[in-house]
C-alpha cells in the first residue's frame, strides 16, 4: 500500500479509490477528493470514451465513434460553490457560461444559476485531472469489475 509521511513524521495510509466512469460526476468526484486530501488519496478513473494523446488523456472524437454532448446544463449556485475553487475558476471563465435564470431557492451567496455546455464541463474537468497525475490516474478503458477483482480487493473505495 502507498504511504506518505505526515508533518509529525507518522505514516498515514493513502486512501485508494477506483472510479468507474470519467464523465462529469466521476471527474468531479476525483477532483474533489484530490482537493480535500491532496497526496493522501490515489484515485484511478476508468473511461472508455478517452484515448491517450501524447502525454495526456483526451476525449475521443467523432472519428473514434464518440459524439460529444453539446447540450447545456444549468447548475445551481448551491452546487457549483461546493466545487473546489480551481474547478469553479476553470469552468466559469468569462464567455463560457450564461446566467439567464432568476435567483431561486437554490441560489446562495448572491450567485444565480449558471448555464454551461456539458462538453465544456467534461473538457475542463479532464484537463484539470490530467494536471493532477500525482494523485489521479486516468485510464482510457472501460472498467470491468470481473477482470479487475484483484484491484477492487486492494482499494478502499
Amino acid at each position: 500500500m502507498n504511504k506518505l509521511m505526515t508533518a509529525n513524521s507518522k505514516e498515514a495510509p493513502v486512501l485508494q479509490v477506483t472510479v468507474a466512469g470519467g464523465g462529469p460526476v466521476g471527474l468531479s468526484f476525483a477532483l474533489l477528493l484530490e482537493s480535500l486530501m491532496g497526496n493522501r488519496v490515489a484515485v484511478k478513473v476508468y473511461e472508455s470514451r478517452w484515448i491517450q494523446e501524447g502525454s495526456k488523456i483526451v476525449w475521443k472524437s467523432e472519428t473514434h465513434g464518440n459524439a460529444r454532448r453539446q447540450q447545456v446544463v444549468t447548475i445551481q449556485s448551491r452546487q457549483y460553490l461546493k466545487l473546489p475553487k480551481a474547478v469553479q475558476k476553470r469552468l466559469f471563465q468569462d464567455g463560457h457560461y450564461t446566467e439567464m435564470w432568476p435567483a431561486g431557492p437554490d441560489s446562495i451567496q448572491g450567485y444565480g444559476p449558471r448555464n454551461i455546455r456539458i462538453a465544456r464541463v467534461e473538457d475542463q474537468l479532464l484537463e484539470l485531472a490530467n494536471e493532477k497525475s500525482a494523485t489521479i490516474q486516468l485510464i482510457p478503458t472501460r472498467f470491468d469489475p470481473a477482470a479487475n477483482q484483484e484491484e477492487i480487493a486492494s482499494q478502499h473505495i
Side-chain angles (χ1 to χ4, degrees):
M1 178 188 295
N2 294 341
K3 299 276 183 178
L4 92 126
M5 299 300 289
T6 61
N8 63 7
S9 297
K10 292 183 181 178
E11 291 187 18
V14 174
L15 181 67
Q16 304 290 322
V17 179
T18 296
V19 177
V25 173
L27 287 170
S28 293
F29 178 65
L31 289 163
L32 182 60
L33 280 176
E34 187 279 333
S35 174
L36 293 171
M37 299 185 70
N39 290 332
R40 295 177 297 131
V41 69
V43 183
K44 292 180 181 180
V45 183
Y46 289 81
E47 178 56 65
S48 63
R49 296 174 293 166
W50 298 337
I51 58 170
Q52 182 85 36
E53 189 173 273
S55 63
K56 290 188 152 201
I57 301 296
V58 298
W59 289 96
K60 289 179 179 177
S61 67
E62 284 189 43
T63 61
H64 300 103
N66 185 32
R68 299 294 306 281
R69 297 181 284 179
Q70 294 302 313
Q71 297 97 327
V72 173
V73 63
T74 301
I75 307 173
Q76 297 291 341
S77 57
R78 180 178 307 281
Q79 282 70 43
Y80 69 74
L81 291 173
K82 291 179 183 178
L83 294 169
K85 294 293 181 196
V87 172
Q88 291 180 49
K89 184 177 177 181
R90 192 70 67 95
L91 288 179
F92 301 115
Q93 294 172 350
D94 287 341
H96 293 284
Y97 70 95
T98 61
E99 293 180 331
M100 60 184 270
W101 301 109
D106 282 321
S107 301
I108 61 170
Q109 299 177 19
Y111 292 92
R114 292 182 173 174
N115 302 312
I116 187 169
R117 286 194 180 277
I118 293 173
R120 174 156 176 86
V121 173
E122 292 172 334
D123 290 343
Q124 296 306 307
L125 294 178
L126 185 56
E127 189 174 309
L128 271 170
N130 268 291
E131 296 169 10
K132 308 288 185 179
S133 61
T135 52
I136 300 175
Q137 181 183 4
L138 301 172
I139 304 167
T141 190
R142 181 183 162 283
F143 183 76
D144 181 355
N148 293 46
Q149 293 256 341
E150 194 172 304
E151 178 183 336
I152 292 170
S154 72
Q155 300 292 291
H156 296 108
I157 300 172

